Amino acid sequence: MTVRPENLERVLFTEEQVAARIAEVAAEISSKYRGRELKLIGVLKGSVFFLTALARALTIPVKIDFLAISSFGGNSPGKTAGMVRIAKDLDDPIHDEDVLLVEDIVDTGFTTRYLLQTLAGRGPRSLGICTLLDRSVRRIVQVPVDYRCFEIPDRFVVGCGLDFQQLYRNLGYIAVLNPEALEADRR
Ligand code: PRP
């Protein structure tokens, strides 16, 4: 599979729309946490692009840390069946800190639920979640989403950190993958 334009069906959100919306959400977060220091926790790998864009748009002091999870038991590309574990943990404790979990997408909610439960057990002062995309139509477990940039339909999307076969993460826009590319991958 190569990175070919015909693999993309259409652009869902342009680079300009993504940047503008991130700026809006960043302003909201900066206002909410004014006078405090915020630790952003990115979930590798998808959230990296969004986390850096968000961090640069925030006007409050920010620290960053990353973790990686692995999901198992799923039978569709990249998807979970509720089984999640931490494959790479944070470098530092989060005790008594204001923490914002940063995701590229909240889908079934399994990953978010697991991470919120795990991080809450480490005694942060506060814990919230901010996601670039919310595909709530696929939600299986309910999770609180404090900040979302875009709600999306039930389609496979790539760009801004989201991948298909590890490709397309570096697109500056969000695009819908051509269903034929997905079908070819399943064959
Ligand atoms: C994506 C995303 C979330 C998770 C959300 O990660 O970054 O962590 O799926 O799905 P859920 O709500 O159904 O649990 P993915 O497994 O695709 O890994 P990646 O970030 O490395 O692409």
Side-chain angles (χ1 to χ4, degrees), residues 44-46 78-80 103-105 107-111 163 169:
L44 297 170
K45 309 175 181 121
K79 277 304 116 243
T80 62
E103 271 287 20
D104 53 338
I105 187 166
D107 204 14
T108 63
F110 283 122
T111 306
D163 76 300
R169 291 190 197 273

Side-chain angles (χ1 to χ4, degrees), residues 39 41 63-66 88-95 97 119 122:
K39 178 169 280 185
I41 293 183
K63 292 180 179 175
I64 63 171
D65 203 346
F66 292 95
K88 177 229 173 284
D89 209 337
L90 299 172
D91 287 337
D92 298 309
I94 55 170
H95 182 73
E97 293 188 274
L119 296 175
R122 299 180 184 186

